[in-house]
């Protein structure tokens, strides 16, 4: 059992915005907890560093920027891509990694609190990457941490590094971020990636479409933010009316692990399936995105369609995480 007693305390209201200094563009020594910390300038900085990381990996495979640094990779929830891409990012930059993916083999099973586990890991390491099932856990952990902490997903809250790699992929594939029509479809209620992505895309001139069954609708908190920022949006049950005009279709898995009632999950798990027939109605220059893992929601027949961007997203994740690690450790 995970000891979450400390999570009942007051969580700090908002993460610090990144300061405007000239050292690693304000990232040095900072926590990355929410996409709310970003603006267009520091996003662009991370994207250009990620470009450098990509060409560095393609040409040399590695660099020694983070030689001597150690990352604590602490995952209280399952992960394939986020955990291994942070690890690969650290290794390719010449650093090392202590990964705790199986918290059941750690002192967490003895009842250790999150703050104590964080204090322990940072006494050995230079920064911590944390995934946790509770919304707000990263903010709580960061309150106790003396070294930088990166949120790798906090329950149904946010997944900031996923949103960074999503936007990087959109810019890379479509060549622009302003003036796009973006549809998000699937589990918008529990899918943390779409919460972060909506917030980050609100920095750009975006027309949003939120497509979901009523039970899995985008939380009011996020819709209110979109409304307040003045971006046009529509809430839909079906993608059909807009499939021919959107630039991005971002699909999410129905998040089985968040359902209290398994029969409710069974009813909703394959509510939407993207197949070739649907893709045939979409624009030739749109892209289909997914944070992965996909379960039912995208048929494998779509994988060879050049518009399927999900495997590119996955690869870009490593370059973005290399850029973030280097920036936070003051080496970018
Ligand atoms: N991998 C993503 C996440 O951790 C998406 C998902 O699990 O469906 O949120």
């Amino acid at each position: 059992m995970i000891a979450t007693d400390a999570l009942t305390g007051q969580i700090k209201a908002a993460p610090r915005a990144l300061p405007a200094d000239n050292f690693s563009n304000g990232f040095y020594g900072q926590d990355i907890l929410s996409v709310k910390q970003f603006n267009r300038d520091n996003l662009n900085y991370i994207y250009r560093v990620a470009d450098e990381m990509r060409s560095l990996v393609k040409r040399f495979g590695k660099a020694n920027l983070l030689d001597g640094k150690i990352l604590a990779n602490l995952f209280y929830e399952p992960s394939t891509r986020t955990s291994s891409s942070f690890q690969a990012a650290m290794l390719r930059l010449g650093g090392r990694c202590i990964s705790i993916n199986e918290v059941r083999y750690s002192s967490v099973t003895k009842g250790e609190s999150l703050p104590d586990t964080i204090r322990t890991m940072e006494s050995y390491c230079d920064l911590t990457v944390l995934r946790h099932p509770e919304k707000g856990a990263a903010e709580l952990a960061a309150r106790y941490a003396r070294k930088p902490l990166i949120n790798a997903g906090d329950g149904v809250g946010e997944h900031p590094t996923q949103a960074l790699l999503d936007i990087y992929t959109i810019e890379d594939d479509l060549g622009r971020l302003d003036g796009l029509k973006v549809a998000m479809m699937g589990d918008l209620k529990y899918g943390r990636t779409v919460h972060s992505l909506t917030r980050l895309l609100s920095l750009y001139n975006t027309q949003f479409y939120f497509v979901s069954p009523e039970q899995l609708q985008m939380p009011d908190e996020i819709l209110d933010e979109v409304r307040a920022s003045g971006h046009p949006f529509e809430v839909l049950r079906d993608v059909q009316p807009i499939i021919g005009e959107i630039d991005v279709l971002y699909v999410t898995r129905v998040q089985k692990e968040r359902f209290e009632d398994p029969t409710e999950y069974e009813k909703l798990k394959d509510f939407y399936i993207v197949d070739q027939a649907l893709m045939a109605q979409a624009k030739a220059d749109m892209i289909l995105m997914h944070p992965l893992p996909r379960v039912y929601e995208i048929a494998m027949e779509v994988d060879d369609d050049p518009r399927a961007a999900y495997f590119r997203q996955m690869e870009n994740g490593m370059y973005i995480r290399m850029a973030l690690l280097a920036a936070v450790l003051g080496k970018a």
Side-chain angles (χ1 to χ4, degrees):
M1 203 190 81
I2 294 170
T4 51
D5 296 358
L7 295 178
T8 51
Q10 176 88 39
I11 308 284
K12 75 181 166 202
R16 293 184 294 275
L18 293 163
D21 66 20
N22 290 326
F23 195 32
S24 282
N25 214 15
F27 284 94
Y28 177 56
Q30 296 300 311
D31 303 318
I32 305 296
L33 305 178
S34 162
V35 291
K36 290 180 182 169
Q37 295 169 267
F38 291 89
N39 57 43
R40 288 174 71 131
D41 280 348
N42 53 34
L43 278 178
N44 194 47
Y45 170 77
I46 286 295
Y47 297 151
R48 299 301 64 91
V49 178
D51 289 343
E52 298 288 323
M53 294 300 180
R54 174 163 35 197
S55 54
L56 195 144
V57 169
K58 301 264 185 230
R59 292 179 66 199
F60 309 111
K62 66 178 179 66
N64 283 331
L65 271 182
L66 299 184
D67 188 22
K69 300 289 182 191
I70 303 181
L71 164 74
N73 217 15
L74 186 56
F75 279 68
Y76 287 74
E77 267 194 344
S79 169
T80 301
R81 276 152 292 274
T82 307
S83 156
S84 46
S85 65
F86 264 115
Q87 187 166 354
M90 197 64 188
L91 296 175
R92 285 192 185 273
L93 288 174
R96 290 168 188 233
C97 208
I98 296 179
S99 287
I100 301 195
N101 293 333
E102 294 270 9
V103 281
R104 66 198 155 106
Y105 295 128
S106 73
S107 285
V108 167
T109 44
K110 299 181 187 168
E112 185 164 71
S113 69
L114 180 61
D116 282 1
T117 305
I118 295 290
R119 285 185 185 113
T120 308
M121 296 313 290
E122 70 171 13
S123 67
Y124 311 133
C125 301
D126 300 286
L127 89 166
T128 304
V129 168
L130 174 71
R131 170 169 291 183
H132 196 282
E134 307 278 338
K135 183 178 177 187
E139 284 183 28
L140 175 100
R143 279 218 313 255
Y144 292 87
R146 286 172 298 112
K147 294 181 182 167
L149 185 135
I150 300 181
N151 180 5
D154 61 320
V156 300
E158 279 219 32
H159 194 343
T161 64
Q162 175 73 43
L164 292 178
L165 75 90
D166 291 338
I167 299 223
Y168 182 62
T169 305
I170 296 174
E171 191 195 48
D172 212 35
D173 279 13
L174 299 180
R176 67 190 205 283
L177 288 167
D178 278 307
L180 295 176
K181 294 184 173 184
V182 179
M184 300 185 199
M185 179 169 93
D187 186 347
L188 308 185
K189 179 178 179 188
Y190 298 123
R192 55 191 169 205
T193 68
V194 286
H195 302 163
S196 293
L197 183 60
T198 302
R199 287 181 168 139
L200 217 47
L201 276 174
S202 295
L203 294 174
Y204 303 90
N205 174 9
T206 309
Q207 157 83 55
F208 292 102
Y209 300 95
F210 300 119
V211 186
S212 73
E214 199 180 344
Q215 300 92 315
L216 299 178
Q217 208 162 290
M218 190 62 100
D220 285 341
E221 179 192 353
I222 310 275
L223 292 181
D224 288 346
E225 285 177 26
V226 176
R227 207 172 279 119
S229 64
H231 290 80
F233 73 91
E234 281 181 42
V235 172
L236 303 161
R237 300 279 164 257
D238 192 356
V239 74
Q240 206 67 48
I242 51 154
I243 187 68
E245 47 180 285
I246 52 181
D247 302 295
V248 176
L249 177 57
Y250 190 102
V251 182
T252 65
R253 169 180 73 91
V254 178
Q255 309 275 301
K256 183 178 185 180
E257 65 276 31
R258 313 280 180 222
F259 282 74
E260 277 171 17
D261 175 3
T263 58
E264 186 71 358
Y265 169 73
E266 288 301 320
K267 270 192 261 160
L268 297 168
K269 66 180 187 194
D270 47 9
F271 201 86
Y272 302 112
I273 296 181
V274 178
D275 55 14
Q276 273 179 331
L278 185 73
M279 290 300 283
Q281 299 169 58
K283 291 202 307 191
D285 58 353
M286 59 82 76
I287 52 171
L288 174 65
M289 303 182 75
H290 193 300
L292 303 176
R294 61 131 164 228
V295 189
Y296 303 99
E297 53 284 352
I298 299 182
M300 284 176 81
E301 64 186 22
V302 179
D303 294 356
D304 293 333
D305 188 315
R307 296 170 293 176
Y310 29 94
F311 300 130
R312 294 194 288 277
Q313 281 170 266
M314 184 173 83
E315 181 182 334
N316 287 339
M318 185 175 74
Y319 308 133
I320 283 289
R321 290 175 176 125
M322 288 173 80
L324 268 183
L325 292 175
V328 166
L329 291 172
K331 299 287 182 179

